[in-house]
Amino acid sequence: MPIPDERQALLVVRNLKKYFPIRRGVLSRVAAHVKAVDDISFHIGAGETFGLVGESGCGKTTAGRAVLRLIEPDEGEIRFEGRDVRALSSSALRQARRDMQIIFQDPYASLNPRMTVRSIVDEPFVIHGMAASSDRTDRVAELLKTVGLDPTVMNRYPHEFSGGQRQRIGIARALALKPKLIVADEPVSALDVSIQAQIINLLADLQEKFGLAYLFISHAIPVIEHISTRIGVMYLGKIVEVGTSEQICLDSKHPYTQALLSAVPIPDPAAKKQRIVLKGDVPTPINPPSGCRFHTRCPIAVDRCRVEEPPLRKLGDGRDVACHLV
């Protein structure tokens, strides 16, 4: 798939920021901020999968939820099909959310234990008034078939299913309103490896069938590599490298991306691999380091990295890298 042009992209995110205040004292005054997402930009074309990868706590999930305004961004621009999502009123945002859905990480916590599968998958139709009550049972049955479940289970409750089956229910709910974009927030991290492969293949099949675009969030590079068209690598609230799946996974340029890839195990006991071991702990997002945020752990950092923040700049091969030494 060719790299989509930002001007024709389905979703465009520019300079997105989200800080969480830390309140202290009797008066709950703001003492500091957690800089969860700090000035990131990316775009996603129709039918494309953009993978967002990084260590836990780097801001991936916050970015995904901010795009949908499940968390209100502090700054930045979010455009979906040319519309400014941040400027939408409550009613207009509800209308827009028919085209933007989310699959949550925990397939049990995201399903109401007091609702049957029928009610869970049917709920989007009720909220948006999209189908007559007489038609909704057939629509639910069709959605369950689409995700590989028998429609006869629709009167059961979430606790009666395995983790993989619960995630399929969550996917069916996300598909109900025929969206154009789905934010998949670590949709397989809570599942067994064999079940992960089934869910990833299901998402790929659904993308091909319905022309879906995914913002796929994960900390597992093999999963991201398998499903993504392009990949953005996040570190401490910043995107440090963006490129195609092949560029990132086979010829990464940023030292943080190289360290992440070196930690991926090879399924061959005879194979030898040079591991890049990063020193020190991940700095706190409350008071991130000056200059390049990765310089405190970077094996090739120079004095310039400590004082000057590198911009995300485009290289000759089309990828974007935030590193003075690349």
Side-chain angles (χ1 to χ4, degrees):
M1 178 183 235
I3 298 175
D5 189 288
E6 183 176 321
R7 290 168 295 182
Q8 283 81 43
L10 180 70
L11 175 73
V12 177
V13 177
R14 295 192 187 103
N15 308 114
L16 184 67
K17 291 185 180 182
K18 179 59 188 178
Y19 296 175
F20 293 99
I22 298 175
R23 300 182 182 276
R24 296 191 178 121
V26 177
L27 300 178
S28 296
R29 291 192 173 122
V30 176
H33 287 88
V34 176
K35 298 178 180 180
V37 176
D38 196 6
D39 196 9
I40 68 169
S41 301
F42 59 90
H43 64 277
I44 305 175
E48 183 194 18
T49 299
F50 184 84
L52 208 52
V53 67
E55 294 172 291
S56 296
C58 71
K60 307 183 300 295
T61 293
T62 301
R65 296 192 178 199
V67 164
L68 301 179
R69 282 185 60 187
L70 296 179
I71 297 173
E72 285 294 338
D74 294 323
E75 293 182 26
E77 182 180 6
I78 304 167
R79 290 198 168 272
F80 181 77
E81 294 188 314
R83 292 175 295 173
D84 186 352
V85 174
R86 293 194 65 198
L88 296 178
S89 64
S90 297
S91 59
L93 180 61
R94 172 177 287 194
Q95 181 81 14
R97 279 181 173 157
R98 296 179 184 181
D99 294 324
M100 301 186 296
Q101 292 292 313
I102 185 169
I103 302 169
F104 294 98
Q105 177 178 356
D106 188 340
Y108 190 74
S110 63
L111 303 178
N112 190 330
R114 298 183 179 182
M115 294 174 67
T116 63
V117 172
R118 181 202 303 266
S119 300
I120 290 170
V121 180
D122 180 51
E123 193 172 26
F125 299 126
V126 176
I127 292 173
H128 291 273
M130 293 288 288
S133 57
S134 58
D135 298 331
R136 292 205 295 261
T137 297
D138 293 336
R139 296 282 292 273
V140 170
E142 182 182 347
L143 285 165
L144 292 177
K145 287 180 182 178
T146 301
V147 299
L149 292 175
D150 192 324
T152 60
V153 305
M154 68 172 65
N155 292 320
R156 297 183 185 177
Y157 290 86
H159 73 271
E160 300 180 69
F161 297 90
S162 67
Q165 289 173 324
R166 285 196 289 264
Q167 194 60 289
R168 289 174 188 268
I169 296 168
I171 294 171
R173 178 177 59 186
L175 289 173
L177 301 178
K178 298 181 179 179
K180 298 175 183 177
L181 171 72
I182 291 181
V183 175
D185 181 14
E186 305 219 31
V188 298
S189 63
L191 308 177
D192 294 336
V193 174
S194 60
I195 306 301
Q196 286 184 14
Q198 294 177 20
I199 297 299
I200 291 295
N201 290 334
L202 171 63
L203 290 172
D205 292 341
L206 293 173
Q207 182 176 45
E208 184 176 351
K209 182 176 181 180
F210 298 111
L212 298 168
Y214 292 133
L215 172 56
F216 196 97
I217 298 166
S218 179
H219 62 269
I221 287 185
V223 172
I224 285 282
E225 180 183 8
H226 179 74
I227 197 170
S228 298
T229 313
R230 291 184 301 128
I231 298 173
V233 182
M234 283 193 73
Y235 180 79
L236 208 62
K238 294 276 191 181
I239 290 182
V240 297
E241 187 168 4
V242 180
T244 65
S245 181
E246 292 78 12
Q247 287 173 333
I248 297 296
C249 297
L250 300 179
D251 184 30
S252 58
K253 299 297 184 185
H254 197 281
Y256 174 65
T257 310
Q258 294 170 354
L260 278 182
L261 289 166
S262 76
V264 177
I266 299 175
D268 182 1
K272 293 184 178 180
K273 186 176 184 180
Q274 184 177 1
R275 173 76 192 276
I276 301 173
V277 180
L278 298 178
K279 298 180 180 179
D281 297 325
V282 180
T284 172
I286 300 173
N287 186 25
S290 60
C292 175
R293 296 192 174 182
F294 185 57
H295 84 260
T296 58
R297 305 170 73 199
C298 181
I300 61 171
V302 296
D303 290 341
R304 181 185 179 188
C305 303
R306 297 177 177 87
V307 295
E308 183 182 340
E309 182 177 334
L312 192 66
R313 56 189 176 86
K314 193 168 291 295
L315 302 186
D317 59 0
R319 83 175 81 201
D320 301 292
V321 181
C323 181
H324 294 306
L325 305 178
V326 174

